[in-house]
Amino acid sequence: MALSQHSSLSQQNNARTVGRRYQSLILMLIVTITLMGGVASRLVYLQLLQGERNRQLADDNRIRLIPRQPERGRILDRKGRTLAGSRLSHAVFLWPIANPKERWVEILPELSQILNIPLEEIQDRLEQAGYNSPVRVRVARSISPAQVTALAEFGQIFKGVQVEAEAVRNYPYGDLGAHVLGYTGEMNDEDLKARASEGYRLGDVIGQMGVEAAFESQLRGEWGGQQVEVDGIGQVLRVLEEKPTQAGEDVQLTIDLDLQRAVERALGNRKGAIVAMNPNNGEILAMVSRPTFDPNLFSTYITDAQWQQLQNQDFPFVNRALQGYPPASTFKIVTTTAAIESGAFPSETVLPTFPFIEVGGIQFWDWNRAGFGPLDFRGAMAWSSDTFFYQTALSMGEAPLIAWTKRYGFGQKTGIEIAGEEASGLVPDATWKKAELQEDWYAGDSVNMSIGQGYLQSSPLQVAVMFAVAANGGDRVKPHLLMGNQEAREWRQPLGISPATIGILQDGLRQVITGGTGQALNVPTLPPLAGKSGTAEDPPRLSHAWFGAYGPISKPEIVVVAFAENSGGGGGKVAAPMVRQVLETYFNGTVSTESAAPEEVISD
């Protein structure tokens, strides 16, 4: 009985514990299945749904894009000599994605001290690229050997900082021809925004003025680069893909290096400009402007001290050969043409000259304050008589004078390739004066304009074009700097000047040299020349000095125009010796080591 009850109770207990031994296994199986399902679903999400993104993140962490800037094309003179080229230098690049932002905050102050670059500049460059960017960012150029060594010593600490050799723009003759050549520099934000569609990127170097800017598309070349695999500290393990750079094209100019040296020496440290040009085809043989700058400063990092020194000069980046000034008595070439071609004066006209002529109650004086007696057009040109040309302006009126001024090319750009830096100048007329000054055109305005004063503005290059008309027999040419610019070389516009008038111009300009205000060029070491002086008033400052000449008169092959800004002293005294020094180099190969000194001569 007792046994029976015990047996029944045992059976009940066994029933309640059936499967307990498998319970833990079942639970583990369920958990495992759940975990595996979660992992599997996560893998599906990561590999299928987010696979492309994650692969990109992985690649960004181990694959670096190393773009390589092409070597810029050279700028050559007409004989193939290098005026602008490249040199190897060391640059510092940052790989933004190599570090989190917090780590960059620690690295950059030390990097700033080594490079001697303001911390804010480096931070701005890095932030502009973005901390997750896989593309390197240049933060310094042309660093010193000591800086290269210092960065190498910090190589393990400065993860993401890399030093590499690169080509840097080099101007072997320093500031020689700076305004013609221009300079290069890294693009700023505005440049990048404006030219992003042309394939430019952050850190690109472009031409900023002169030939460098005008021929940017030829000089820049085509980018190349490498896709490389790197380790955890940014060291290259292997090159995955490589595209070679394509160097830019060379640009050959009409500039002659020897003559360029001559015009630079002749002008010296005076403010002003000298232009030398072939009067038959417009080739610019030399062009200088002062004050100037060394374009090498902008090929690397320019210091605050260097920039301040440039700012202390009088607008060193302005190319004065292309800016407008009163052309003074050189303009009497145009006045002579207008007076004769208008029919107001026969070619053999003789007029009395006076100490002054009174117009509208104002006395307009001759430059010598005495007059020169009776003169024809040739003599008036030789002695630069103001009162002679005042009379021609009063008789013919402003219309022919203004019309011929424009026909000679004044008041418009010449067409030279660096036109972005060229002023059009100004040919005033009644409409302009009424709009700008709310005044009518007076006879005194014509009088002033007849001797290249008043509101008239022209550049030394425009004045050179004017001289070329007389030199080549009556055609306007298009100045150009590119040796291969065939269109400009062949462009000649006949002005419709009669042979008789051309003969008077050429005779008068020759007499300037042989017995007038340009006798500084009447020397046996030079072939027969023709020219004209000019002195432009610029109160309350000193006057400007001008002189232009061409030669040989039998077959002219060069025009030289010298302009000295606020020099005082007169064109024949100050500017003519500069022209002579340039022509002595051109014709004789004479090399001067000093600037041309003023001479005591009869001078307008």
Side-chain angles (χ1 to χ4, degrees):
M1 189 68 181
L3 289 172
S4 176
Q5 291 176 347
H6 176 75
S7 174
S8 175
L9 184 60
S10 176
Q11 290 177 358
Q12 291 176 5
N13 290 337
N14 288 338
R16 283 195 290 266
T17 59
V18 171
R20 282 186 177 180
R21 69 184 65 181
Y22 303 108
Q23 195 173 47
S24 61
L25 293 174
I26 293 171
L27 289 172
M28 290 178 62
L29 182 60
I30 292 172
V31 171
T32 300
I33 292 172
T34 302
L35 290 174
M36 292 295 292
V39 171
S41 63
R42 182 61 178 169
L43 288 173
V44 169
Y45 174 78
L46 292 175
Q47 294 185 12
L48 298 181
L49 300 181
Q50 293 289 317
E52 185 62 33
R53 178 177 179 274
N54 290 320
R55 277 191 294 274
Q56 185 63 49
L57 289 173
D59 286 344
D60 285 348
N61 279 282
R62 69 181 181 85
I63 296 176
R64 178 184 298 180
L65 302 175
I66 307 179
R68 295 194 183 279
Q69 187 165 305
E71 183 174 351
R72 199 168 175 84
R74 297 176 299 165
I75 300 176
L76 311 173
D77 88 327
R78 65 187 301 113
K79 297 178 181 176
R81 294 170 288 190
T82 301
L83 300 175
S86 299
R87 61 178 174 83
L88 283 179
S89 180
H90 286 91
V92 179
F93 296 85
L94 304 184
W95 188 31
I97 202 172
N99 295 300
K101 182 177 180 179
E102 300 76 28
R103 179 59 184 140
W104 281 119
V105 171
E106 298 173 359
I107 292 174
L108 294 188
E110 297 183 56
L111 184 63
S112 171
Q113 289 187 353
I114 293 175
L115 298 178
N116 194 27
I117 296 176
L119 175 60
E120 295 76 16
E121 290 191 20
I122 303 177
Q123 287 176 329
D124 288 346
R125 186 62 61 89
L126 187 58
E127 289 173 0
Q128 189 175 0
Y131 286 97
N132 292 323
S133 173
V135 180
R136 299 184 313 163
V137 180
R138 186 199 297 111
V139 295
R141 310 182 73 198
S142 289
I143 62 174
S144 68
Q147 290 171 319
V148 173
T149 302
L151 290 173
E153 292 174 351
F154 284 91
Q156 296 298 319
I157 301 174
F158 284 177
K159 177 184 174 183
V161 178
Q162 186 172 359
V163 178
E164 275 199 14
E166 68 170 3
V168 171
R169 202 57 163 168
N170 181 53
Y171 302 88
Y173 302 104
D175 63 5
L176 185 139
H179 290 88
V180 172
L181 300 177
Y183 65 94
T184 62
E186 287 192 24
M187 303 182 76
N188 56 34
D189 294 345
E190 291 76 17
D191 292 334
L192 185 59
K193 185 176 181 180
R195 309 187 75 159
S197 61
E198 301 174 42
Y200 288 94
R201 65 194 79 186
L202 181 66
D204 271 4
V205 173
I206 62 170
Q208 300 286 354
M209 67 174 284
V211 169
E212 293 280 22
F215 297 101
E216 168 68 16
S217 59
Q218 294 97 312
L219 291 166
R220 67 176 291 201
E222 186 175 334
W223 278 77
Q226 292 179 325
Q227 188 179 55
V228 298
E229 184 178 359
V230 298
D231 59 20
I233 61 172
Q235 300 298 315
V236 176
L237 298 176
R238 62 192 177 104
V239 176
L240 303 176
E241 186 178 358
E242 183 165 2
K243 178 187 176 182
T245 61
Q246 184 174 326
E249 300 174 19
D250 291 344
V251 170
Q252 188 169 18
L253 304 182
T254 57
I255 295 291
D256 181 272
L257 176 58
D258 298 323
L259 199 63
Q260 184 68 33
R261 285 195 181 104
V263 299
E264 304 255 356
R265 290 195 183 100
L267 185 58
N269 292 323
R270 299 182 184 93
K271 278 195 303 182
I274 298 178
V275 176
M277 184 181 76
N278 185 324
N280 303 298
N281 59 24
E283 290 181 349
I284 300 299
L285 305 176
M287 180 186 290
V288 62
S289 175
R290 288 281 191 271
T292 189
F293 61 94
D294 184 352
N296 286 304
L297 292 174
F298 300 93
S299 297
T300 58
Y301 178 79
I302 185 170
T303 66
D304 291 338
Q306 290 170 327
W307 178 249
Q308 188 57 49
Q309 185 177 2
L310 286 172
Q311 296 306 300
N312 291 337
Q313 299 184 46
D314 192 359
F315 303 105
F317 299 104
V318 173
N319 188 343
R320 285 166 164 79
L322 306 181
Q323 302 306 304
Y325 305 90
S329 292
T330 63
F331 185 74
K332 290 170 182 174
I333 292 173
V334 176
T335 307
T336 297
T337 304
I340 299 174
E341 292 297 312
S342 68
F345 292 90
S347 58
E348 299 304 320
T349 294
V350 175
L351 297 175
T353 61
F354 310 95
F356 65 87
I357 288 180
E358 187 169 325
V359 179
I362 301 173
Q363 294 178 344
F364 292 85
W365 288 82
D366 216 314
W367 68 269
N368 73 342
R369 315 292 287 186
F372 297 89
L375 294 173
D376 62 5
F377 278 102
R378 299 173 182 84
M381 187 81 73
W383 289 110
S384 197
S385 171
D386 294 330
T387 55
F388 180 98
F389 290 100
Y390 294 159
Q391 295 174 76
T392 65
L394 290 171
S395 295
M396 68 175 156
E398 75 273 14
L401 184 59
I402 291 170
W404 275 100
T405 303
K406 292 179 179 179
R407 194 178 296 188
Y408 264 88
F410 293 99
Q412 57 188 285
K413 293 189 176 184
T414 63
I416 194 168
E417 295 92 336
I418 53 177
E421 296 146 46
E422 183 181 16
S424 299
L426 174 64
V427 179
D429 56 22
T431 302
W432 171 86
K433 192 180 180 190
K434 193 71 173 179
E436 295 296 323
L437 303 177
Q438 291 75 51
E439 292 181 1
D440 294 327
W441 186 271
Y442 302 120
D445 295 321
S446 299
V447 166
N448 269 328
M449 187 172 174
S450 72
I451 62 166
Q453 291 277 182
Y455 307 111
L456 182 66
Q457 296 281 305
S458 60
S459 69
L461 182 60
Q462 290 172 326
V463 171
V465 171
M466 176 188 69
F467 273 99
V469 172
N472 66 36
D475 293 346
R476 183 153 63 93
V477 297
K478 182 178 291 185
H480 61 280
L481 288 162
L482 183 64
M483 193 70 176
N485 192 341
Q486 199 64 25
E487 184 274 333
R489 181 182 174 84
E490 295 175 355
W491 189 93
R492 284 180 62 147
Q493 183 180 65
L495 299 191
I497 305 173
S498 68
T501 302
I502 288 293
I504 289 173
L505 288 175
Q506 292 175 342
D507 289 346
L509 294 172
R510 175 60 182 154
Q511 289 184 27
V512 170
I513 305 297
T514 57
T517 60
Q519 295 181 57
L521 277 77
N522 192 27
V523 293
T525 55
L526 291 173
L529 305 171
K532 184 71 189 76
S533 61
T535 304
E537 296 179 357
D538 187 29
R541 294 169 290 270
L542 293 175
S543 59
H544 306 309
W546 290 87
F547 201 93
Y550 65 82
I553 57 172
S554 59
K555 191 176 181 180
E557 57 190 65
I558 185 173
V559 165
V560 180
V561 171
F563 167 73
E565 181 179 333
N566 298 126
S567 63
K573 177 179 180 179
V574 175
M578 300 184 206
V579 174
R580 184 187 65 207
Q581 187 166 305
V582 174
L583 291 174
E584 285 173 342
T585 297
Y586 180 82
F587 287 112
N588 307 324
T590 305
V591 178
S592 176
T593 58
E594 299 179 355
S595 62
E599 298 182 3
E600 292 300 327
V601 295
I602 298 174
S603 173
D604 168 38

